[in-house]
Amino acid sequence: MLPQTLARLSTQVGNDQLVLHYLTEKDHPWLRALLDEYERGVGSKQSDLLSRLREPLTTRAPKAKQRLAVDVLQRLTDARAKASVPPREARWTAFTAAAQTAAPREEVLRLAGEQLGIDGESLEGALFADLRSERAARPIPPGLSPERIALEANLRLVNSWMQRARSVRITAWGNTRALVRQARLHGLICNIGRTAPVQTGSARATPIAAAGLDALPQSPTEGVELEVSGPLALFRHTLIYGRALGALIPRALWCHRFELRAECETSAGAAMATLTIRSGDPLRVGRELPAYDSQLERRFARDFRKAAPDWDLVREPRPVESFGSLIFPDFELVHRHDPKRRWLLEIVGFWTPKYLEEKLRKLRAAPLEHVLLCIDQERGCAEAELPEHAQTLRYKRRIDVRAVLAIINR
Amino acid sequence: MKLLFDHGTLVLAEAPDLSRKAIPGLLWDPRVELYRAPAYRYVEVAMALRSLRLPVVDEVRRTGSALVEGWHSTDLRPYQQAAILAWQLAEQRGLVILPTGSGKTRVAAAAMASTSARTLCLVPTRALLNQWLTELSRFYPGAIGCLGDGRQDVQQVTVATFESALRWMRRIGNRFELLVVDEAHHFGCGVRDEALEMCVASRRLGLSATPPTGPALTRLEELLGPVVYQLGVGDLAGKWLADFDLVVLRVALDREERARYDADHRLFSELNRQFRSMHPSGTWQELVAAASQSTDGRAALRAWRRTRQLLGFTRAKAAAVRALLSRHRDARILVFTADNAAAYAIAREHLIMPITCEIGRQERERALQGFREGKLRALVSARVLNEGIDVPEAEVAIIVGSTQGEREHVQRIGRLLRPSPGKRATVYELVTLATSEARSATERRRGLAATNARTA
């Protein structure tokens, strides 16, 4: 994580707002100069090289941004030990030898080196070669460009502030399911509401963060508003959920459009300030999230598409509103020739009769009749305890696509 | 109505309107439309609900009521027995303050044996995690769980690092009845306190050699209970702890160092004077925050950092270390520095093993074992050896530099106090004359005021 001092230096706090000084295209020239300077110092002691990189460059650079970039560069250039013998062995051999004799230092190193088949000078060079403050700088890895440093630095900056977040409000349109799941996975309390329709992109569009808002296709879609905080937050302000809240950022970046507002503590015990991140900010979109939450879902989707050419399978359909909250079914099955024939399908892992009863009650109240719940028969109660009127299908490790088709074609 | 454990808190499901009832810690949570309370108030909440004669199904604990039995008898010293008795009398809640080397782990084992309760022990570092696992296995034959250092195994008796506990407590906070916290002074003033808040265990035992003061102590008492028993180094030195001599060696800066020190010190003193004139009771954090706002302020802070670096390992200190290592050629020596750079400089010059945060666990353990067996004659460390690590063979300590004040000083000296027949330890403290270090050295020795230390 980025040191808090660096995060503060790259942030302006005013009117209870945190304004992040992102690295943008304007910074690319001095970032190039920084990389060139690093290249020149490859092989020298990494700590010395990093100190030099923090000094003024040939191309003028904002000081705080430069320190931020050097920190990122340090992490991206994974320096490894370069020594004639493993440093751990070098240390053990040299220090145990020194404990056994009162001979001068050079003599001890020579004798210890002999045990390892190297001379005293090589042994001395290996003694601390693996320690961060002592090791040599390695060549720049392929693909490390000014643009990548800038995007990495921006994401680290945002993450650093998110670690100091107490609560988060996200308004998102499209691809929001992963956000909700992530929040629940971390035991956060996630209140979900519906937002007004906006102009947003189609499914699987190029991420807006990379393409810019102008690239959006003009098709209205409803979004959701999530307010996320932790259980303990009821009693007092707490930073304990910082990591979990920070983990929402990559998910938010994969939404078609989003705005995230986090209440962050600027320093220990200080007043809170709001950090706002939205689509279009220069943030790196991380590794694409898996399309399916589990192997079970992936396998079902593949089997269904193969076995049911007359049906379309929609991954992550629109959430359904019921009793003021939203339900997120796993799939929607739509008949190609008769789009009125629609089924929502939800895969239920661990369950209890009460849980199912509650789920069905909400689905019926939606009102939705064509809902199929696929229930893991190894994780729950006996047949007799199933709720009445439940349209359910039991599965064991794999969902039987033929059984699903038998129900929806009935 | 059901009382449930929910991610480190308690919730009341299917509850009637309780807004007019006085139930400690219970609040209405509009986010989920349930009553909620912090987990550490479990007993108070449960008792209040019972006293109101409300029909409650308590589903907080999911682990049954089996006792943890099979503990071997622990042979306690008189003061350890007294500590346990005091803790029992305080309804099995409270802080036991004993000096380093006096057997706090044994006191904890005795507490666990006496309660037969499912216990979670929290320790600050991975090194201490392994030390506790080894020590507890001498008293308890059953499986001991471990959270931390890459292991994730929860048993009826489990040891966890503070960091792992913070991550895991929302899931396991309802599984234990006794919470033991080693080096408890780390709690009471930060986000880590929430690990203690998220646990329902009503029996709590905090162990420390250096309790905090002020608001941190108040908070710690709320989370663990009051100080129920306290002894200092002076109470045990000579009989239960090794006796020791404290030798303060005063060294001087050379001319070039003095010039650098004076210039930098002047710069910082001016900043400090200006800040104190406006904020007489301002904290160090407030001073840093204020100084960071201006170029001059930042320059003054950089000057302060330079003086710290300089005083940490001056040329005279380097010469003193050389002389002391030579003088105690046959003794087992611990060298404490202010920072890693000084530790590496000493390690490089004298070929002695550094124990720093950059040295991995396995190598660290190998080095400690080598030190115990006499294969290594000295260890040098900035902070890692400060707390908890057991090195009873050490006879001489050289304190080259310090950054953490009184508490660190007491902890460092404590490394030498584990007794052995005929042992008399020697602690050398190197202090640079006519610098800010001279004053802070006097302050940090206050923690030892009750001892039989002899200064030279």
Side-chain angles (χ1 to χ4, degrees):
Chain A
M1 193 178 82
L2 199 66
Q4 189 59 23
T5 327
L6 269 186
R8 257 190 238 118
L9 282 173
S10 299
T11 307
Q12 190 181 329
V13 186
N15 297 328
D16 302 331
Q17 298 288 320
L18 293 173
V19 181
L20 305 188
H21 297 163
Y22 287 125
L23 272 67
T24 62
E25 276 184 19
K26 287 179 188 169
D27 298 298
H28 288 188
W30 67 261
L31 283 170
R32 169 52 59 199
L34 186 79
L35 282 171
D36 290 346
E37 187 64 29
Y38 183 95
E39 198 81 67
R40 275 193 285 276
V42 167
S44 61
K45 208 158 104 176
Q46 199 195 24
S47 56
D48 293 344
L49 176 58
L50 293 172
S51 302
R52 198 156 73 240
L53 294 179
R54 290 187 192 103
E55 300 296 320
L57 298 166
T58 48
T59 308
R60 193 177 158 81
K63 208 166 179 178
K65 283 186 173 181
Q66 186 181 338
R67 284 185 62 184
L68 178 61
V70 172
D71 187 79
V72 170
L73 190 57
Q74 180 183 357
R75 287 158 201 265
L76 293 177
T77 50
D78 177 29
R80 298 242 174 86
K82 194 178 170 185
S84 44
V85 290
R88 281 172 58 170
E89 280 313 303
R91 284 193 285 271
W92 180 255
T93 310
F95 299 151
T96 49
Q100 310 309 320
T101 172
R105 183 175 180 278
E106 282 66 31
E107 182 62 10
V108 173
L109 286 172
R110 191 187 65 74
L111 290 170
E114 270 178 15
Q115 288 181 42
L116 297 169
I118 55 172
D119 58 31
E121 201 176 327
S122 303
L123 178 62
E124 187 170 8
L127 276 180
F128 300 112
D130 58 334
L131 305 184
R132 187 177 288 174
S133 49
E134 300 287 313
R135 58 197 177 192
R138 300 225 329 148
I140 292 174
L144 186 53
S145 60
E147 186 188 15
R148 181 161 170 221
I149 293 180
L151 291 172
E152 287 282 349
N154 294 341
L155 191 58
R156 279 180 202 275
L157 184 58
V158 167
N159 270 330
S160 175
W161 280 112
M162 288 296 289
Q163 303 280 332
R164 303 190 70 79
R166 289 174 179 171
S167 62
V168 164
R169 182 189 291 268
I170 305 170
T171 315
W173 293 268
N175 225 7
T176 53
R177 186 191 187 87
L179 257 178
V180 179
R181 290 214 169 193
Q182 181 71 18
R184 288 182 178 161
L185 190 71
H186 282 274
L188 297 168
I189 295 174
C190 185
N191 283 355
I192 307 165
R194 198 186 285 280
T195 63
V198 293
Q199 302 293 306
T200 187
S202 60
R204 292 271 165 231
T206 309
I208 296 155
L213 284 168
D214 294 341
L216 283 174
Q218 304 295 301
S219 67
T221 301
E222 283 178 316
V224 293
E225 186 170 89
L226 302 103
E227 197 165 341
V228 192
S229 58
L232 215 57
L234 175 70
F235 306 106
R236 59 188 174 80
H237 290 313
T238 171
L239 295 177
I240 199 173
Y241 307 108
R243 281 181 201 154
L245 292 169
L248 298 177
I249 292 279
R251 268 73 185 172
L253 288 173
W254 278 103
C255 292
H256 298 157
R257 187 179 166 190
F258 79 99
E259 181 177 275
L260 181 151
R261 295 164 75 84
E263 293 300 311
C264 303
E265 192 176 71
T266 51
S267 58
M272 303 297 287
T274 306
L275 170 68
T276 307
I277 307 161
R278 51 172 70 89
S279 305
D281 283 347
L283 293 170
R284 182 182 179 79
V285 178
R287 183 173 54 86
E288 185 169 6
L289 299 171
Y292 300 97
D293 292 330
S294 64
Q295 183 65 22
L296 181 79
E297 289 181 21
R298 182 192 306 278
R299 203 181 279 166
F300 171 73
R302 190 190 59 204
D303 293 351
F304 187 84
R305 286 192 177 114
K306 207 182 283 180
D310 289 343
W311 289 84
D312 278 334
L313 181 138
V314 181
R315 172 82 184 123
E316 294 190 6
R318 274 176 51 180
V320 180
E321 192 165 2
S322 174
F323 288 114
S325 65
L326 292 179
I327 301 161
F328 289 77
D330 289 300
F331 297 103
E332 186 172 20
L333 312 176
V334 185
H335 198 277
R336 287 192 171 182
H337 310 300
D338 183 6
K340 286 180 186 168
R341 288 173 65 190
R342 287 169 180 267
W343 281 79
L344 292 176
L345 185 142
E346 173 128 2
I347 299 171
V348 183
F350 289 99
W351 56 277
T352 62
K354 194 176 173 194
Y355 170 81
L356 284 183
E357 187 72 69
E358 179 67 10
K359 190 154 204 87
L360 286 169
R361 186 177 69 87
K362 283 186 174 178
L363 290 170
R364 278 196 294 266
L368 293 164
E369 289 302 325
H370 288 150
V371 179
L372 175 60
L373 297 180
C374 298
I375 300 167
D376 186 345
Q377 66 181 33
E378 289 182 343
R379 302 174 172 178
C381 61
E383 180 80 46
E385 293 171 313
L386 276 174
E388 287 178 25
H389 317 300
Q391 189 67 274
T392 56
L393 175 69
R394 285 171 178 267
Y395 70 86
K396 190 177 175 183
R397 285 198 282 278
R398 192 168 190 150
I399 297 169
D400 184 353
V401 171
R402 282 173 303 177
V404 172
L405 284 170
I407 293 171
I408 65 177
N409 282 327
R410 208 177 280 161
Chain B
M1 183 166 58
K2 282 182 184 171
L3 184 60
L4 304 158
F5 180 78
D6 177 46
H7 294 96
T9 63
L10 305 170
V11 291
L12 264 178
E14 302 157 24
D17 182 8
L18 297 170
S19 55
R20 289 169 189 273
K21 315 281 186 197
I23 299 175
L26 199 71
L27 291 177
W28 175 249
D29 188 347
R31 300 170 300 176
V32 289
E33 302 195 332
L34 291 168
Y35 286 101
R36 192 183 290 275
Y40 77 103
R41 308 198 75 163
Y42 168 54
V43 172
E44 294 167 86
V45 171
M47 283 174 66
L49 291 172
R50 265 198 296 274
S51 69
L52 292 168
R53 296 178 191 279
L54 292 167
V56 185
V57 180
D58 187 340
E59 292 186 2
V60 169
R61 295 191 190 280
R62 293 296 189 115
T63 46
S65 55
L67 296 174
V68 182
E69 288 175 329
W71 288 87
H72 301 152
S73 66
T74 42
D75 188 17
L76 295 179
R77 297 169 183 167
Y79 65 88
Q80 291 169 330
Q81 286 174 357
I84 285 293
L85 184 61
W87 180 73
Q88 300 276 17
L89 290 172
E91 297 178 345
Q92 299 178 337
R93 279 179 69 85
L95 293 162
V96 169
I97 312 297
L98 288 172
T100 306
S102 58
K104 290 194 285 290
T105 318
R106 192 174 281 254
V107 171
M112 292 181 224
S114 71
T115 56
S116 299
R118 283 181 294 272
T119 305
L120 178 64
C121 304
L122 307 187
V123 299
T125 61
R126 290 180 298 171
L128 275 171
L129 181 80
N130 294 307
Q131 204 164 291
W132 268 72
L133 288 170
T134 309
E135 187 73 6
L136 287 183
S137 65
R138 291 174 51 209
F139 303 110
Y140 180 62
I144 300 175
C146 177
L147 293 174
D149 206 11
R151 285 167 284 180
Q152 299 179 346
D153 175 30
V154 179
Q155 298 285 345
Q156 289 191 316
V157 175
T158 298
V159 187
T161 60
F162 291 169
E163 279 307 308
S164 295
L166 197 58
R167 281 199 296 274
W168 276 76
M169 204 60 98
R170 66 189 173 91
R171 278 177 277 177
I172 61 167
N174 60 339
R175 293 199 187 186
F176 300 98
E177 294 146 344
L178 170 61
L179 187 63
V180 175
V181 184
D182 190 23
E183 309 290 358
H185 54 268
H186 287 286
F187 290 91
C189 51
V191 73
R192 277 177 174 168
D193 295 357
E194 287 155 9
L196 307 187
E197 283 183 39
M198 291 193 286
C199 181
V200 301
S202 57
R203 299 160 174 172
R204 295 181 176 215
L205 171 64
L207 301 166
S208 177
T210 49
T213 52
L217 179 60
T218 310
R219 177 87 174 115
L220 201 54
E221 286 179 337
E222 184 191 355
L223 294 170
L224 292 176
V227 176
V228 293
Y229 192 79
Q230 181 162 15
L231 288 180
V233 174
D235 299 313
L236 300 178
K239 187 173 183 188
W240 301 111
L241 293 179
D243 219 338
F244 72 101
D245 296 316
L246 175 62
V247 183
V248 181
L249 293 177
R250 296 182 172 85
V251 295
L253 295 172
D254 68 18
R255 184 177 298 207
E256 185 267 336
E257 287 173 333
R258 172 58 65 186
R260 274 163 51 203
Y261 175 81
D262 286 347
D264 282 338
H265 185 62
R266 227 181 350 259
L267 206 56
F268 176 72
S269 294
E270 180 57 23
L271 167 82
N272 193 31
R273 193 187 58 74
Q274 284 176 10
F275 179 78
R276 297 286 163 212
S277 66
M278 287 187 286
H279 311 281
S281 56
T283 62
W284 171 252
Q285 284 78 9
E286 287 164 347
L287 184 148
V288 172
S292 305
Q293 305 299 315
S294 69
T295 312
D296 287 351
R298 288 193 291 272
L301 287 179
R302 279 198 297 276
W304 174 79
R305 278 193 287 273
R306 283 196 298 271
T307 60
R308 296 263 292 197
Q309 205 171 8
L310 172 68
L311 294 178
F313 195 49
T314 63
R315 292 188 187 106
K317 283 186 175 180
V321 170
R322 208 171 295 132
L324 291 171
L325 286 174
S326 169
R327 180 175 174 179
H328 294 281
R329 171 79 230 164
D330 298 323
R332 233 68 68 78
I333 306 172
L334 297 179
V335 184
F336 295 102
T337 61
D339 54 38
N340 284 352
Y344 292 141
I346 290 170
R348 195 181 285 279
E349 183 183 343
H350 301 286
L351 298 181
I352 58 179
M353 182 70 199
I355 303 285
T356 66
C357 52
E358 292 181 306
I359 301 288
R361 177 176 60 88
Q362 285 181 340
E363 189 181 4
R364 212 184 281 178
E365 280 171 7
R366 188 188 190 188
L368 288 170
Q369 190 59 32
F371 184 76
R372 288 179 194 125
E373 291 168 359
K375 290 177 183 166
L376 294 171
R377 62 181 284 242
L379 301 173
V380 56
S381 170
R383 288 196 189 171
V384 175
L385 285 181
N386 280 0
E387 282 189 359
I389 292 181
D390 216 355
V391 275
E393 295 75 14
E395 302 155 286
V396 176
I398 307 172
I399 299 174
V400 181
S402 178
T403 54
Q404 307 285 304
E406 185 186 314
R407 179 175 295 154
E408 181 184 64
H409 195 61
V410 173
Q411 293 279 6
R412 282 174 164 184
I413 288 177
R415 298 300 109 220
L416 268 74
L417 301 185
R418 294 199 190 269
S420 60
K423 178 175 172 181
R424 185 172 184 93
T426 308
V427 180
Y428 293 98
E429 190 182 358
L430 309 185
V431 180
T432 309
L433 285 164
T435 62
S436 55
E437 191 182 62
R439 192 179 64 249
S440 51
T442 309
E443 283 171 9
R444 68 184 178 231
R445 279 196 297 276
R446 276 191 207 145
L448 291 170
T451 73
N452 53 352
R454 174 174 62 82
T455 56

